[in-house]
Amino acid sequence: MTNHLYNKYVKNMTLEEKTAQLLQLAAPFFDKPGEHSEITGPMEELGIQYETLRSAGSVLGVAGAEKMMAVQKAHLENDRHGIPLLFMADIVHGFKTIFPIPLAIGSSWNLELAGQSAEVAAREAAVSGLHVTFAPMVDLVRDPRWGRVMESTGEDTYLNGLFAEAFVHGFQGDDLRNDLTRVAACVKHFAAYGLAEGGRDYNTVDLSERQLREYYLPAYKAAVDAGVKMVMTSFNIVDGIPATGNRKLLREILRKEWGFDGVIISDWASIKEMVAHGAAEDDKEAALQAIQAGVDIDMMTTSYINHLPELVQEGLVDEKLIDEAVLRILELKESLGLFENPMRGADPAAEKEIVFCGEHRQVARKLAEKSSVLLKNEGVLPLEPGQRVSLIGPFANSGDILGWWSWTGSKETAVKLGDAMKAASGNPSHIVIAEGSGIDSISEDQLNEARKTAAKADVIVLAVGESSDMSGEGGSRSNIKLPEAQLELIRSMKELGKPLAVVLFNGRPLDLHGVYDQADAVLEAWFPGSEGGAALADILYGKVNPSGRLSMSFPYSVGQIPVYYNSFRTGRPKPEQETENRYISKYIDIPNEPLLPFGFGLSYTTFEYEDLTLSSEVLTADTPLEVKITVKNTGLRAGTETVQLYVCDIAGQVVRPVKELKGFRQIELDPGESSEVVFRIDETLLRYHHSDMTIRSDRGEFILYVGASSRDVREARFTLVK
Ligand code: GLC
């Protein structure tokens, strides 16, 4: 290799030093060698020699400029070649300023704000000493039982790809070496982790290569095409082989087909876990499979440092593979300018100014406003400032609104709903707060206090939901209803016969039985982040008109799962009109349709769609179609509408979804204002993976849909001729 990094470093490193460069350990190993915590376990158990630490390549989970600088300084004094450590952590939806969870951001359909949130997160992380974030997570998810659905942007491949690109650009900017306010991004979890059977985390994933390529891979590719610096392998198997040891996935598709030449990192212990999968006899074989598949960094286990040297000495691994892995890691360090400036953006003084500053919190507030989705409203919202409001529920004044992966975020400084409503109402004494119940417990005293509070109210606002640890990693639920205690609280408040609004705090689409049917209004807040309460109060009092649109279906019940808008028709589709016919694809006890469809969301105003026109009814490979539709704000308030464009390929070489999102426009309209929205359809939008894995379109009939959600659409037809 003629590479200058090879000549300066790799060539002069011992085999042990090179394999140590492939090691990533959690912070406690570095800032207090010898101590251990529940996150790391005793160093001895991991079989790590202190000597090894001298040459380790990266560290996970150090937060704070001073701490990072101390660890880096100590490391550079020990590392024989003076190779700086990479500092990495999970900055998924904010560092200290916590943004709404990604599933909420997905419901904003606002790519610019999504990019801004990543840019702010990077600014706070970089000044605190971090170099790489383990984000964006772009796993396609169609099963809300899976706890990590909160980390995704939803059920649509196309939308997820747009968000992936926005996040990567936000984190990395376009000059990572010189722009010390940015960090390298790491797209995860490659691949198809979100298809875990039964929605049970870490469970088996099994799908056809065509499904994988058509629906599950494109968002990762969008991140790679956007220049993401690192890819993290997933815990699951792909076609029977763990992703972390899957050469077809990593060497063939990721590196060869997509041209990704950056660093591949395992997920936490996912190399060692190939033994538990039954894919490797022992840790040594796991190390062999992972290095051959092209995994560069072993996160949090010692498979590489304990076995790669002997595998090389035994002639089972070509040392060149290790040199290549080391080189990619050194190139990442160089792309961040670490060799010249190992402390990079770490700056204790600036950290105090930048982290959690007002400007950042304003972005978080804006995004929380845009991510909230009005799911129902029968004359209750917005609230009137003079109304006496009884705010009841475990989230009435709770700081647990940051959601999973809010690591250094502080629940204590989160803006709580009750406090914000008092401020926004103009009449703080008109807002009376009662807990009403716990997350999953309720007492007569709590109920009596809630009834007493509500007795004097003009309107009841219930703030209910899941605690943040009921979703996130390891947070899969078999029952996705609200906990029974909260359903009891809702029933009790309903009995009072007063207008009832529900604000939901949750990390997944829920089964809303006992909520949607009971409430007059339902506002989906998700986990709205550091400024969540303030954003919600402004929505509840009408200072902000909600504009979120669901990026994931809310099932009618858990029995429907997986339920998603772009499904296949089947040979016995259930007709629109009711039928007694038993022998069609349906349930005998519930509807086929989700309670709330992809793309759905209400506003405090109303919009009308008219004059859908096509520039032609014939599309050819070199003459695109222009689609026009007029949207009018027919209500009394200004509002934002997300106009959605879907296409259905009526008959393909393989069966095609009943509709697929192919574009959207967010428009702001004043009362009475109309706007003509224009989309352009060209033949490339109609291409898909055929059964021979070629990507092309088919001539024939297509239906085009434009509307306010995947269900509320107007249609037109066109023909693609070759
Ligand atoms: C976890 C997660 C991954 C995260 C990593 C480091 O197990 O699967 O998303 O980035 O470990 O915390």
Side-chain angles (χ1 to χ4, degrees):
M1 261 178 248
T2 55
N3 182 295
H4 69 283
L5 290 171
Y6 178 80
N7 293 330
K8 182 170 182 183
Y9 297 104
V10 184
K11 200 168 66 169
N12 308 314
M13 293 163 79
T14 64
L15 182 55
E16 286 65 27
E17 287 170 335
K18 287 190 276 191
T19 47
Q21 192 63 215
L22 313 186
L23 169 66
Q24 176 172 104
L25 288 175
F29 283 105
F30 287 86
D31 58 355
K32 295 191 187 64
E35 278 196 32
H36 58 265
S37 67
E38 100 305 320
I39 197 169
T40 58
M43 201 178 231
E44 296 67 34
E45 271 179 22
L46 280 167
I48 299 172
Q49 311 306 321
Y50 288 112
E51 189 56 24
T52 309
L53 287 188
R54 297 160 62 97
S55 317
S58 57
V59 57
L60 179 160
V62 169
E66 279 180 7
K67 187 176 220 180
M68 174 267 177
M69 294 167 84
V71 171
Q72 186 74 296
K73 179 172 177 294
H75 179 77
L76 288 168
E77 285 160 4
N78 285 320
D79 184 290
R80 193 163 72 90
H81 304 282
I83 298 173
L85 282 168
L86 268 172
F87 288 76
M88 306 192 190
D90 296 282
I91 313 303
V92 179
H93 55 110
F95 177 74
K96 189 88 177 170
T97 303
I98 303 298
F99 292 93
I101 54 173
L103 186 59
I105 296 176
S107 294
S108 74
W109 294 56
N110 191 316
L111 302 171
E112 187 189 342
L113 264 179
Q116 272 183 42
S117 73
E119 185 177 349
V120 164
R123 196 177 301 141
E124 295 192 355
V127 80
S128 304
L130 286 168
H131 305 141
V132 182
T133 179
F134 298 129
M137 182 274 216
V138 302
D139 304 332
L140 175 67
V141 192
R142 291 168 161 169
D143 189 333
R145 291 172 294 182
W146 192 50
R148 302 193 76 162
V149 62
M150 52 66 63
E151 263 179 277
S152 77
T153 46
E155 72 186 39
D156 184 70
T157 302
Y158 168 80
L159 191 59
N160 290 351
L162 295 175
F163 276 112
E165 183 184 2
F167 285 132
V168 169
H169 286 312
F171 283 126
Q172 297 190 166
D174 50 25
D175 181 9
L176 199 50
R177 189 189 189 104
N178 298 307
D179 182 350
L180 305 188
T181 69
R182 307 291 183 133
V183 294
C186 172
V187 66
K188 65 187 185 182
H189 305 83
F190 196 67
Y193 179 28
L195 189 55
E197 279 181 4
R200 200 176 79 224
D201 211 348
Y202 316 117
N203 201 7
T204 300
V205 164
D206 200 11
L207 74 167
S208 68
E209 179 175 345
R210 206 183 59 76
Q211 275 272 344
L212 177 71
R213 287 178 177 275
E214 179 70 12
Y215 299 106
Y216 287 84
L217 291 186
Y220 304 111
K221 185 167 188 310
V224 169
D225 292 346
V228 76
K229 288 291 182 184
M230 195 156 85
V231 175
M232 183 186 294
T233 62
S234 56
F235 290 118
N236 55 283
I237 58 174
V238 177
D239 201 8
I241 299 172
T244 307
N246 194 313
R247 275 192 257 189
K248 176 165 184 178
L249 191 65
L250 303 181
R251 290 230 186 255
E252 290 306 309
I253 295 177
L254 179 58
R255 290 207 187 281
K256 203 161 146 216
E257 280 183 40
W258 295 0
F260 178 70
D261 59 3
V263 172
I264 298 176
I265 186 169
S266 78
D267 201 337
W268 189 295
S270 66
I271 292 180
K272 193 178 191 71
E273 288 174 5
M274 289 202 272
V275 179
H277 270 294
E281 283 292 323
D282 53 28
D283 200 18
K284 181 174 176 181
E285 188 184 347
L288 173 63
Q289 290 178 12
I291 195 74
Q292 287 179 332
V295 174
D296 300 317
I297 296 179
D298 176 1
M299 182 196 289
M300 275 309 289
T301 50
T302 50
S303 309
Y304 274 8
I305 56 165
N306 287 347
H307 299 294
L308 285 183
E310 66 186 287
L311 285 165
V312 170
Q313 277 131 23
E314 292 166 9
L316 295 172
V317 166
D318 182 340
E319 188 162 356
K320 200 164 70 64
L321 284 188
I322 296 173
D323 293 352
E324 286 167 0
V326 174
L327 206 48
R328 283 189 285 263
I329 294 166
L330 298 186
E331 282 164 351
L332 176 55
K333 294 182 180 184
E334 184 174 62
S335 74
L336 286 154
L338 290 182
F339 289 107
E340 294 77 32
N341 175 9
M343 303 305 169
R344 194 163 184 271
D347 181 336
E351 188 180 29
K352 293 183 179 61
E353 302 301 314
I354 290 170
V355 172
F356 206 60
C357 67
E359 178 204 335
H360 292 176
R361 296 208 306 273
Q362 277 311 310
V363 179
R365 180 168 178 162
K366 189 82 188 156
L367 195 43
E369 290 168 4
K370 297 289 186 184
S371 306
S372 304
V373 189
L374 185 60
L375 301 180
K376 183 178 182 182
N377 187 24
E378 288 169 2
V380 174
L381 296 178
L383 303 172
E384 298 299 328
Q387 278 180 306
R388 288 171 302 166
V389 177
S390 171
L391 175 62
I392 298 172
F395 285 92
N397 225 30
S398 165
D400 188 26
I401 58 173
L402 305 182
W404 201 258
W405 296 118
S406 49
W407 182 39
T408 61
S410 129
K411 292 178 181 178
E412 295 64 40
T413 55
V415 178
K416 299 172 179 65
L417 179 60
D419 296 341
M421 284 180 70
K422 284 180 182 285
S425 68
N427 297 289
S429 61
H430 282 204
I431 312 285
V432 183
I433 296 174
E435 194 185 21
S437 81
I439 290 292
D440 50 14
S441 64
I442 192 164
S443 68
E444 260 322 295
D445 290 351
Q446 284 173 317
L447 266 181
N448 291 335
E449 189 212 354
R451 290 190 188 103
K452 203 166 68 187
T453 309
K456 300 184 231 59
D458 302 316
V459 58
I460 301 169
V461 176
L462 289 174
V464 291
E466 298 178 310
S467 55
S468 53
D469 61 2
M470 289 169 72
S471 59
E473 183 170 359
S476 301
R477 292 181 68 198
S478 66
N479 165 1
I480 56 172
K481 289 185 177 174
L482 280 188
E484 181 48 35
Q486 295 183 58
L487 294 177
E488 183 182 344
L489 173 65
I490 294 172
R491 286 193 298 271
S492 304
M493 293 301 103
K494 178 70 178 175
E495 283 164 9
L496 302 179
K498 297 190 178 215
L500 190 63
V502 167
V503 182
L504 283 173
F505 295 83
N506 46 296
R508 58 165 48 85
L510 296 172
D511 171 344
L512 290 180
H513 276 91
V515 182
Y516 198 79
D517 44 300
Q518 299 288 314
D520 303 300
V522 180
L523 178 64
E524 175 56 77
W526 308 107
F527 285 109
S530 303
E531 292 292 316
L536 293 167
D538 280 354
I539 291 172
L540 290 171
Y541 277 103
K543 292 176 185 165
V544 168
N545 186 355
S547 59
R549 297 289 180 267
L550 295 178
S551 62
M552 189 163 182
S553 309
F554 272 54
Y556 178 87
S557 81
V558 75
Q560 274 186 340
I561 291 171
V563 61
Y564 46 95
Y565 86 95
N566 49 346
S567 58
F568 299 138
R569 199 173 299 115
T570 80
R572 295 198 176 188
K574 179 170 172 284
E576 290 287 319
Q577 68 283 4
E578 269 312 303
T579 168
E580 289 307 309
N581 183 356
R582 176 186 181 87
Y583 303 102
I584 52 175
S585 181
K586 70 175 187 180
Y587 300 98
I588 58 173
D589 55 349
I590 60 170
N592 287 8
E593 297 70 31
L595 176 72
L596 301 167
F598 176 82
F600 175 81
L602 299 176
S603 167
Y604 289 152
T605 188
T606 51
F607 297 99
E608 261 175 28
Y609 287 69
E610 51 203 18
D611 302 335
L612 172 58
T613 58
L614 302 184
S615 57
S616 160
E617 289 182 358
V618 175
L619 173 67
T620 67
D622 45 21
T623 46
L625 264 189
E626 205 169 61
V627 182
K628 291 181 181 176
I629 192 159
T630 301
V631 181
K632 182 174 182 180
N633 179 340
T634 49
L636 303 175
R637 302 170 58 97
T640 301
E641 176 69 334
T642 299
V643 183
Q644 301 156 40
L645 170 75
Y646 298 89
V647 172
C648 167
D649 183 350
I650 293 174
Q653 187 266 336
V654 295
V655 295
R656 309 285 292 119
V658 293
K659 58 170 70 81
E660 290 183 289
L661 183 71
K662 293 293 182 185
F664 62 91
R665 298 277 188 286
Q666 280 192 327
I667 55 174
E668 295 182 9
L669 294 175
D670 287 331
E673 186 185 3
S674 288
S675 170
E676 183 179 75
V677 177
V678 182
F679 293 100
R680 178 190 154 109
I681 293 195
D682 66 38
E683 175 269 335
T684 57
L685 273 183
L686 308 178
R687 294 178 184 171
Y688 65 92
H689 287 82
H690 283 57
S691 45
D692 62 0
M693 299 310 145
T694 55
I695 303 174
R696 48 203 163 87
S697 59
D698 297 332
R699 60 179 172 69
E701 295 299 306
F702 290 79
I703 305 173
L704 170 145
Y705 300 100
V706 181
S709 77
S710 58
R711 189 183 287 171
D712 174 7
V713 289
R714 293 98 204 122
E715 68 176 74
R717 290 176 178 251
F718 67 90
T719 306
L720 171 63
V721 297
K722 289 289 185 182

